[in-house]
Amino acid sequence: MIEQPHHLPERLGLLSATAADPFLTEDLLRGIQGHGGVDLAKVVEPLPEDDARWLVEPLRELVDDALHQFKDNRTDADAWLAPRLHAALRLTRREAADKRIWNHLALAVAPDYVAWRHLITSSAGRAEPRINPARFKGAPDRQCFSRLWWAAEMFRNGGDYSPVVKACSNQELLHYALRVELVDHRPTAQALVRVMEQGVVSGTREVNGLVAAINTAGATLVYDALAPDEPRDPEALRQWIADAGSALPVPRHDLPDGPAEEPAPEKSVTALVEYFTDLFETAPVRGRTIQL
């Protein structure tokens, strides 16, 4: 397994996909050998130096803790790291939509973590281990770190990250839900977590079937009409970001606090939990026979 780069940057930067390509070597994608970091630093666009959010050290420490704590079960690291990454790297959605920052985090700061978390082999064990390049520079639902940040952003309930932990404990929900726009509706995201907590759905096939049914039903039913959401107060997020420089380190054993936004309306979440529970009764789930 590769090690962290010998030269770690002090601050995050912007690494374009084109500039990243030469560093996605075959040895890196096979988890054999990474890069030293010096040459990569030459093609990175710097971010403002007066912004404490771009310091690398807190992010690297989180990654190191995850590597140590979850060495026996890599997938469990997602639920632990997602809320803490979001709380440590306080971004606006516009900033988080810039793939260049995630390219830099994955290739310059923590390529060893990407390799550890996403190195895969064939089920028969005959193929050489390999990492999908999309884990370094891919779509938001595939890239190693952006998928976790966006999961935390979509599933947090105001400043409460506990729904994020539940959502990230199911890989199918984490992967599939981030690809549908409905999760951007806060009561929908919270209701999805609640039906999992209540045991209505549990396994991968069930989650897949429910999310597909919800997405299909959303073509004819406007969820915001059934379960209206309250507009978010932008000042809460602005203040949370402004406080980044004076914030305490992200806690390891307790969940951090997110922006001091109001949670999704409980009445709306409850209404959707009931609707999704009924919807799941007839949702197509592979291997399940529906009793009519």
Side-chain angles (χ1 to χ4, degrees), residues 1-10 23 28 32-41 56 60 64 106-112:
M1 188 64 67
I2 67 173
E3 299 179 351
Q4 70 178 54
H6 299 303
H7 172 78
L8 278 177
E10 292 185 4
F23 300 93
L28 175 65
I32 298 174
Q33 183 176 353
H35 58 84
V38 176
D39 291 336
L40 189 147
V56 159
R60 183 65 225 189
D64 287 336
L107 268 168
V109 179
D112 53 322

